[in-house]
Amino acid sequence: MEFVPTPAVHRVLCADCGTPIEPNSANLCIPCLRNSVDITEGIPKQATINFCRNCDRFLSPPAAWTIAEPESRELLAICLKKLKGLNKVRLIDAGFIWTEPHSKRLRVKLTIQKEVFSSTILQQIFEVEYVVLYGQCPDCARLAAKNTWKAVVQVRQKVPHKRTFLYLEQLILKNGADKDTISIKETREGLDFFYTQRNHAIKMTEFLNSVVPVRTKDSEQLLSRDTHSNTSNYKFTYSVEIVPICRDDLVVLPKALARSYGNVNPLTVCVKVSSSIQFMDPTTLQTADLPAQIYWRTPFESISNSADLIEFLVLDIEPSGPTHGKYVLADAQVVINSTNRTRTQDMDTDEGGNDAIYHTRTHLGRFLQAGDTVKGYFLRNANINNADYEKLDQSRLPDVVLVKKTYPARRKRNRQRNWKLKSIAKEAEEGPDAFGRGAVGRRGGLDQERVEKDYENFLQELEEDPELRATVNLYKADAKMTDASKKAGKPKPASMDVDETPSGAAVADTEDTDNEEVEADFPEVKADELLEAMDDLTIEDEHAA
């Protein structure tokens, strides 16, 4: 094989240090080239980054606030946006250098390239230090300040209880309708939701209109006006009034309205409230589905509500055939439960004194059996002041109107619930005079006691009604809190926002040693209906002390 010598490489001397190098356009060696040309010129070696301690978000230029974990890709992107001059070089690599978490410093190592002369590309590695500045983002600043809202939604319902708002609170949480709310204020007849933007308030009113029958009025107030730019600053108010009728209320429909719905019997029971109101005649199972628009044309109120319910004992029940969905028409014989008899009832009861038997027709034929306890309205002794009720034929009115089955034996047992509810806690009151921390029940005093009673009744309704329970989110109770309740040896008092019990597959307390009879058809809360309690920025999990 013939030897072919490699061509000789011509070398020149470096213009600065005289080192032999291959010829290039600069006639400089690499060390001298780096000493004479700095490609990092124009890129700052120190910068600042803004961090909000209230919501744990970083400022992403120009005005966005982003949640980013330490040494994450999101935080690295925010850091690179803060550097000016990177668009003039080619970024090869970037990464964090470890620093102490409490040092308020972030160190980033960058590798860049840039063409300094013709066909000459120089690569350089350098370090940038960021100083973390603590402050408040605009959202947190508005939340901390007062009177900074742009729009408010005032929700009202003129009823003597808070059941509707307790249920509405759970619907808002399940659908995430409170994410744009900056604060919540409780009033005597409802709640006020405050927003920084008008469209957020409009979105809330649309949500309320889809879940409950309401009517809405809007108004605006001029705060300031700039005549030079022809711009104005307004505050907007949306008044949302909920229909003052709740489920299980006894209602007398106006005569003209009853005729328009197939001549239904005016004396009805409210069986469902959603975007419309559904009434049912318990003696014929005839229903009337009343939209909110028709109701507000001729508004009326209920003649009796859940506070007037008393317990009856079912002696005999016989289905009579007609059905409507889950309801079955039946003839029932009931007697007033001994724990609900009053002196007035004893004096007014005929045909047998305290053990008088009342015959009535009911729509609860599928749910009731002999020996069950049922709640209903005792019309014979009721003092009702209503013009539409007085127009009815008093001789054809029933003595008793049964509304729903109840489970008194379960309530007497010394047991705890294995589930809890979450509460909206946007504007928790602090201080020695603070009472409730949820959206409902902050006013304290007698109102707090009444709300806690309504809250306990609401929890019982969730236990006894699987359909109602399916519309809200139930969470597993905290094991530590339930263990503390078991050691205490007695049930915890009703809490405003959390109701907790020992964990288990169902609500039934297996350790209870009472010999009282337990209802076999009690709708248990199964473990698969419960969700894991997750921490959320807009939800506060509140435990009773």
Side-chain angles (χ1 to χ4, degrees):
M1 178 179 297
E2 184 179 0
F3 173 74
V4 179
T6 58
V9 179
H10 299 283
R11 294 181 178 274
V12 295
L13 298 179
C14 175
D16 285 349
C17 63
T19 304
I21 59 172
E22 295 182 4
N24 55 51
S25 59
N27 288 331
L28 295 174
C29 63
I30 294 178
C32 294
L33 186 62
R34 288 177 177 174
N35 292 333
S36 59
V37 179
D38 184 12
I39 62 175
T40 65
E41 185 179 3
I43 301 177
K45 306 302 185 296
Q46 191 172 23
T48 59
I49 186 170
N50 299 91
F51 176 72
C52 178
R53 290 186 292 182
N54 294 336
C55 59
D56 294 339
R57 295 189 298 176
F58 290 90
L59 175 60
S60 179
W65 290 81
T66 308
I67 297 177
E69 296 293 332
E71 300 188 4
S72 62
R73 297 179 60 183
E74 294 80 6
L75 183 56
L76 183 60
I78 295 174
C79 294
L80 295 179
K81 287 182 180 180
K82 298 286 290 185
L83 291 182
K84 297 180 180 180
L86 280 181
N87 56 344
K88 299 180 181 179
V89 298
R90 182 182 179 185
L91 182 64
I92 302 300
D93 188 22
F96 283 101
I97 300 176
W98 186 85
T99 56
E100 292 288 345
H102 60 275
S103 63
K104 298 183 182 181
R105 297 291 188 274
L106 297 176
R107 296 169 60 193
V108 179
K109 183 175 68 173
L110 302 177
T111 303
I112 60 175
Q113 287 182 353
K114 184 179 181 181
E115 185 176 3
V116 292
F117 297 107
S118 177
S119 301
T120 303
I121 298 176
L122 185 62
Q123 178 172 312
Q124 189 171 347
I125 300 175
F126 67 102
E127 179 182 321
V128 179
E129 184 181 55
Y130 294 87
V131 179
V132 180
L133 300 180
Y134 289 162
Q136 278 188 328
C137 64
D139 294 337
C140 295
R142 292 191 191 99
L143 184 61
K146 295 182 179 180
N147 300 325
T148 58
W149 51 272
K150 185 78 173 180
V152 58
V153 178
Q154 299 175 342
V155 187
R156 300 291 185 268
Q157 187 185 32
K158 298 179 180 179
V159 292
H161 56 77
K162 296 287 186 180
R163 290 168 49 205
T164 302
F165 290 99
L166 292 171
Y167 178 60
L168 185 62
E169 180 183 24
Q170 300 303 318
L171 291 179
I172 291 174
L173 288 174
K174 183 172 183 177
N175 294 275
D178 63 321
K179 63 179 181 179
D180 298 321
T181 306
I182 61 172
S183 65
I184 298 176
K185 179 182 179 182
E186 184 182 10
T187 61
R188 184 174 178 270
E189 294 180 344
L191 297 173
D192 291 345
F193 297 85
F194 296 91
Y195 299 91
T196 57
Q197 298 182 21
R198 182 185 182 185
N199 58 339
H200 293 162
I202 296 176
K203 185 177 179 181
M204 184 63 171
T205 58
E206 293 175 350
F207 169 77
L208 294 174
N209 192 37
S210 65
V211 294
V212 288
V214 299
R215 67 175 174 181
T216 305
K217 296 181 180 179
D218 59 276
S219 62
E220 58 186 28
Q221 178 186 4
L222 178 63
L223 300 180
S224 61
R225 174 177 293 175
D226 188 353
T227 57
H228 299 285
S229 61
N230 197 22
T231 58
S232 302
N233 184 19
Y234 289 92
K235 279 190 175 182
F236 303 92
T237 301
Y238 295 87
S239 176
V240 180
E241 183 178 358
I242 304 176
V243 170
I245 295 177
C246 301
R247 199 178 66 159
D248 299 334
D249 284 1
L250 189 63
V251 177
V252 176
L253 300 178
K255 192 173 182 180
L257 187 62
R259 287 179 179 177
S260 65
Y261 280 90
N263 203 21
V264 65
N265 184 11
L267 185 64
T268 57
V269 176
C270 180
V271 294
K272 184 179 180 181
V273 177
S274 56
S275 58
S276 60
I277 318 171
Q278 187 176 19
F279 300 99
M280 175 177 286
D281 178 11
T283 60
T284 62
L285 299 187
Q286 190 175 358
T287 60
D289 199 357
L290 191 64
Q293 297 82 357
I294 297 179
Y295 171 84
W296 290 115
R297 292 176 190 171
T298 56
F300 55 90
E301 297 182 354
S302 59
I303 61 175
S304 296
N305 53 41
S306 58
D308 303 322
L309 291 173
I310 66 173
E311 290 185 358
F312 294 89
L313 183 63
V314 180
L315 300 181
D316 187 22
I317 187 165
E318 181 179 353
S320 56
T323 61
H324 184 278
K326 65 179 181 179
Y327 299 106
V328 175
L329 189 63
D331 296 322
Q333 297 181 6
V334 297
V335 64
I336 299 178
N337 199 342
S338 59
T339 59
N340 288 273
R341 293 196 183 105
T342 63
R343 180 175 300 179
T344 304
Q345 293 170 352
D346 293 344
M347 291 189 300
D348 294 344
T349 302
D350 300 329
E351 300 178 2
N354 294 342
D355 297 329
I357 299 176
Y358 300 96
H359 299 262
T360 185
R361 305 196 77 182
T362 179
H363 58 294
L364 304 176
R366 177 171 295 176
F367 308 105
L368 297 180
Q369 298 178 357
D372 287 345
T373 303
V374 60
K375 283 189 175 183
Y377 297 103
F378 192 28
L379 296 184
R380 169 172 289 193
N381 286 351
N383 184 12
I384 299 174
N385 185 13
N386 184 276
D388 293 326
Y389 180 78
E390 294 174 356
K391 295 178 183 179
L392 300 178
D393 186 359
Q394 301 297 320
S395 62
R396 302 187 61 180
L397 294 179
D399 295 331
V400 175
V401 177
L402 302 182
V403 174
K404 63 178 180 179
K405 183 178 179 180
T406 186
Y407 304 87
R410 281 298 179 110
R411 298 190 184 123
K412 293 178 182 178
R413 292 163 62 91
N414 184 11
R415 65 180 183 86
Q416 299 291 329
R417 296 183 178 93
N418 70 325
W419 53 274
K420 63 182 179 182
L421 297 176
K422 296 261 180 149
S423 173
I424 302 175
K426 284 286 186 180
E427 192 183 71
E429 295 184 0
E430 299 178 356
D433 297 331
F435 287 86
R437 293 185 295 170
V440 183
R442 295 180 181 160
R443 302 179 67 216
L446 297 177
D447 183 77
Q448 175 71 13
E449 298 177 0
R450 178 168 58 87
V451 171
E452 288 189 357
K453 182 179 179 181
D454 292 338
Y455 185 72
E456 178 61 27
N457 294 334
F458 175 62
L459 295 179
Q460 293 174 3
E461 289 184 6
L462 289 178
E463 283 183 325
E464 299 172 2
D465 192 344
E467 293 185 1
L468 182 64
R469 197 163 60 236
T471 60
V472 302
N473 286 337
L474 303 182
Y475 297 88
K476 294 181 180 179
D478 190 1
K480 296 181 180 180
M481 298 299 297
T482 54
D483 291 342
S485 299
K486 290 175 65 177
K487 292 179 181 179
K490 59 181 180 179
K492 291 173 57 179
S495 174
M496 181 54 236
D497 298 305
V498 175
D499 193 83
E500 298 162 342
T501 61
S503 57
V507 172
D509 187 357
T510 57
E511 297 183 2
D512 190 5
T513 58
D514 290 344
N515 294 325
E516 297 180 8
E517 182 181 358
V518 178
E519 294 88 349
D521 58 343
F522 184 83
E524 305 284 0
V525 180
K526 304 298 182 182
D528 55 2
E529 299 181 46
L530 306 180
L531 303 176
E532 294 289 345
M534 301 293 292
D535 292 333
D536 193 275
L537 293 177
T538 61
I539 301 176
E540 181 175 335
D541 186 6
E542 302 173 19
H543 300 280

